[in-house]
Amino acid sequence: MKVVIPKKTWQYPMAVERGYKQWLKKYINSIANSIKSNLAPIQSFIASHYRQDDNESYDRQLAIAISSAIQAGMTQAEIETALMNVYNETDIYNKGQIEAVYKSLGQAPIVYSGDAENTLRSQFTQQNRMLIESIRTDIRTKLIYEINSQVSNGYDENEIIAVVNKAKEQAFKRADKIAHNEIGNLDGRMCKQRQRANGITHYQWRTVRDERVRPWHEEREGKIFAWNKPPFDGHPREAPFCRCEP
């Protein structure tokens, strides 16, 4: 079999990642603002701040009070639209990359497999739908823990808002990681699928050459790998937070 290796370096969709980070933080802000606008159930619960012998019942009541305050900051339709926009932006960028790669090889036309493309889209939206929901769950869990641990001392409105802001800042940090990992992973899977569909059998591993590169990825710098024989932790960008390029 003829070995075909791209001559052009595959570029990362940094602008798409930044846009996804911004949207995730907008989503988190919508949750935080919803809580701040609906503090009554939490304040009512804290005002009574009794603990019965039935701890399970107590914890359940606190969870209900907090859940009542955490109303949906965005509709599911808005979330689905945002995910499709992120996917489509990555798709457009990635197609530009594969076209540039094929131009460097002097080959055309480019083939896009409908079934494989639909699978990529479905996997991305399903995975990120769950991650977005987990952000809301994490904020809820952190509020329950913080308020539950201090409820006997009482909480005024400003203290509750401070707890919400703390949970929001923690969620922001997680949003950065989600956007980086999910966009990198999606772009990497598109790259693999599209190169293989168009007869590119191998690639040259390239790192970003900084101190954050995994030692075993650094050892792969410049080496040739076959798409059908991945290293133990996968091709570039398949390992969590990998920034390498094929």
Side-chain angles (χ1 to χ4, degrees), residues 106-160:
Q107 300 184 32
I110 297 169
V111 176
Y112 298 107
S113 170
D115 289 344
E117 301 286 321
N118 290 336
T119 298
L120 282 174
R121 184 184 300 106
S122 177
Q123 290 174 341
F124 174 78
T125 53
Q126 182 177 1
Q127 167 74 1
N128 282 265
R129 195 180 295 123
M130 290 188 296
L131 287 169
I132 289 168
E133 178 58 30
S134 74
I135 290 174
R136 195 167 79 93
T137 301
D138 281 353
I139 292 174
R140 175 180 175 274
T141 300
K142 286 180 172 65
L143 287 177
I144 290 172
Y145 174 79
E146 290 285 344
I147 293 175
N148 193 31
S149 63
Q150 296 293 327
V151 70
S152 61
N153 298 326
Y155 256 120
D156 63 26
E157 181 174 319
N158 290 333
E159 289 172 319
I160 298 174

Side-chain angles (χ1 to χ4, degrees), residues 44-226:
S44 176
F45 181 85
I46 292 173
S48 60
H49 72 267
Y50 62 87
R51 178 175 282 282
Q52 301 173 343
D53 292 336
D54 185 355
N55 289 342
E56 182 177 347
S57 174
Y58 173 89
D59 292 340
R60 185 167 58 251
Q61 291 177 58
L62 177 58
I64 290 172
I66 292 176
S67 295
S68 296
I70 304 180
Q71 299 176 11
M74 290 187 182
T75 66
Q76 192 60 40
E78 289 175 310
I79 293 171
E80 296 297 326
T81 298
L83 288 179
M84 286 308 304
N85 287 341
V86 171
Y87 180 89
N88 289 337
E89 288 169 7
T90 308
D91 178 52
I92 292 169
Y93 184 93
N94 190 276
K95 284 177 177 176
Q97 291 297 299
I98 187 68
E99 288 165 8
V101 164
Y102 251 57
K103 184 177 180 180
S104 76
L105 294 170
Q107 300 184 32
I110 297 169
V111 176
Y112 298 107
S113 170
D115 289 344
E117 301 286 321
N118 290 336
T119 298
L120 282 174
R121 184 184 300 106
S122 177
Q123 290 174 341
F124 174 78
T125 53
Q126 182 177 1
Q127 167 74 1
N128 282 265
R129 195 180 295 123
M130 290 188 296
L131 287 169
I132 289 168
E133 178 58 30
S134 74
I135 290 174
R136 195 167 79 93
T137 301
D138 281 353
I139 292 174
R140 175 180 175 274
T141 300
K142 286 180 172 65
L143 287 177
I144 290 172
Y145 174 79
E146 290 285 344
I147 293 175
N148 193 31
S149 63
Q150 296 293 327
V151 70
S152 61
N153 298 326
Y155 256 120
D156 63 26
E157 181 174 319
N158 290 333
E159 289 172 319
I160 298 174
I161 290 174
V163 170
V164 173
N165 287 337
K166 179 181 177 182
K168 182 181 76 172
E169 292 303 317
Q170 291 172 335
F172 278 175
K173 293 178 181 179
R174 185 164 176 236
D176 287 341
K177 293 180 179 179
I178 288 174
H180 177 69
N181 194 55
E182 291 302 307
I183 298 304
N185 187 264
L186 174 61
D187 185 62
R189 284 184 288 138
M190 285 179 170
C191 174
K192 177 175 71 173
Q193 189 273 318
R194 289 167 176 174
Q195 287 199 20
R196 294 188 69 180
N198 287 276
I200 297 176
T201 58
H202 293 66
Y203 64 88
Q204 185 176 36
W205 193 291
R206 301 176 179 90
T207 71
V208 295
R209 301 181 182 182
D210 64 19
E211 68 281 356
R212 292 169 54 199
V213 174
R214 294 170 171 89
W216 54 94
H217 284 193
E218 188 174 12
E219 292 173 0
R220 298 172 190 166
E221 172 69 35
K223 294 181 180 179
I224 304 301
F225 292 86

Side-chain angles (χ1 to χ4, degrees), residues 1-19:
M1 178 184 292
K2 181 182 178 182
V3 174
V4 181
I5 304 172
K7 297 178 181 179
K8 180 185 179 301
T9 300
W10 197 275
Q11 301 297 317
Y12 182 80
M14 184 59 71
V16 181
E17 179 186 315
R18 283 197 298 267

